[in-house]
Each structure stands twice: as C-alpha cells, then as structure tokens.
Amino acid sequence: MEPQTADRTKSPSTPSRSSQVSLPAPAAPGPLASFVRFVVCGGGIGVLSSFAVPLVAMTMPWAVANAVITVASTLLCTELHALFTFGTGGRAGLRRHLQSSGSAVAAYAVTSAAMFLLHTVQAAPSMLTEQAVYLTASALAGIGRFLVLRLFVFTTTRKPHTAIRPTALPRPQLSRPAVSAAC
C-alpha cells in the first residue's frame, strides 16, 4: 500500500474533476408531448394576454397596448418553448427569437386573411360564424407554427455547420507536343 500525499492545490470541499459525475442531458420530449406543451404554454399565455390587453389599454391606445402585449407574449412564449416545450436545454437566442416572431407574424397573417375572406364572401356574418372561422384559422396556423418551431427553430438534430475549405487540386502537367496537337 502506497502512502497518500496531500495535494495542497485542491480545497477539501471541492471534488476533483475525476470524481465529478456528469449527468446526461435530458432527452427532448417526443412530438405528442411537445404538442401538448405547445398548446398549454401558448394557450395559457394567450389567455393571460387577452386579459392583459384591456388593462394596458386603459393607459394607452388599444392598438399600441395590443402590440406591446403581443411582443411581450411572443418573447415569453419563445423562452418557454425553448426551455419547456421543445426541451433544448437552454434559453432561446436571438436567432430563435427572430424565427419565432416570423412564425407568429405568419400565423397572424393567416388568421387575418381568413377573416378578410369571410367578410368578402359574407357581408355580415354572425358572431358565431366569425368565431368559428377565426378559431379554425387560428388552430391551423397554430399547427403550422408548431411544425415550423419543432422542425426548424428548436430542432436539436441539426449538425453544426462545418467550414468549407477549398481543396487544392494538382495542376495537370501537359507537355508541349500534347498542347500543340490539341490546338
């Protein structure tokens, strides 16, 4: 048995690197679990936003209040989707926020187009018809947004980009007789 020597560079309370146990990163949730989380997070924030807009609108014009709450809720949802819905293991960066806001704008465009189309086809639709069209368009836009976020924005299967390096090819050595014969 060899005598142990004290290592004075390490404090007794700090474990050495060899004794630290690294835990594997949690696995990303499957598609169904992600979709349920997407609906809960997005729907929950949507409900809270619908209550927040009228409250904020008491201090500023309604359109400005709606824009402020929409931006804030999109930022919050993107963070929740990164941390909870899609389990990326970290916060959303600027690229993910921009892509997520792009998908939110596309969803807004789909619901607005559906309502415009309804009012083009029917001059005075009932409130029930308007709600049915809006909720259907919103659901379809939500499914599309979920797919974009899952497959492109919060994907964890992408490999990091490798730098493309030009490969130097050897120059062909042509003799004078070969060049003369070709010309």
Side-chain angles (χ1 to χ4, degrees):
M1 197 182 236
E2 296 179 73
Q4 294 182 351
T5 58
D7 185 359
R8 297 181 199 271
T9 60
K10 296 179 188 172
S11 70
S13 63
T14 307
S16 67
R17 289 184 189 234
S18 62
S19 66
Q20 290 178 350
V21 177
S22 64
L23 298 174
L32 183 60
S34 289
F35 185 72
V36 169
R37 291 176 181 189
F38 179 82
V39 170
V40 169
C41 287
I45 297 299
V47 168
L48 291 175
S49 295
S50 69
F51 290 116
V53 170
L55 294 175
V56 175
M58 290 191 298
T59 61
M60 61 185 68
W62 189 91
V64 175
N66 187 32
V68 167
I69 296 299
T70 299
V71 168
S73 65
T74 301
L75 290 171
L76 178 59
C77 278
T78 302
E79 288 295 329
L80 287 174
H81 292 326
L83 295 170
F84 180 68
T85 303
F86 300 109
T88 61
R91 294 188 59 189
L94 180 61
R95 178 186 66 83
R96 285 183 170 154
H97 276 290
L98 291 174
Q99 290 173 327
S100 180
S101 64
S103 69
V105 167
Y108 174 79
V110 166
T111 54
S112 295
M115 294 307 290
F116 176 77
L117 185 62
L118 171 66
H119 285 275
T120 301
V121 172
Q122 203 172 18
S126 69
M127 185 182 286
L128 183 62
T129 304
E130 283 182 331
Q131 284 294 323
V133 168
Y134 178 78
L135 291 175
T136 302
S138 184
L140 292 173
I143 291 169
R145 187 160 188 250
F146 170 77
L147 291 172
V148 166
L149 293 178
R150 177 156 175 94
L151 298 175
F152 299 107
V153 177
F154 293 106
T155 185
T156 56
T157 58
R158 255 190 225 157
K159 295 179 184 174
H161 294 288
T162 57
I164 299 174
R165 295 186 182 113
T167 306
L169 297 174
R171 292 188 83 152
Q173 298 295 326
L174 299 175
S175 64
R176 280 190 181 213
V179 172
S180 297
C183 293

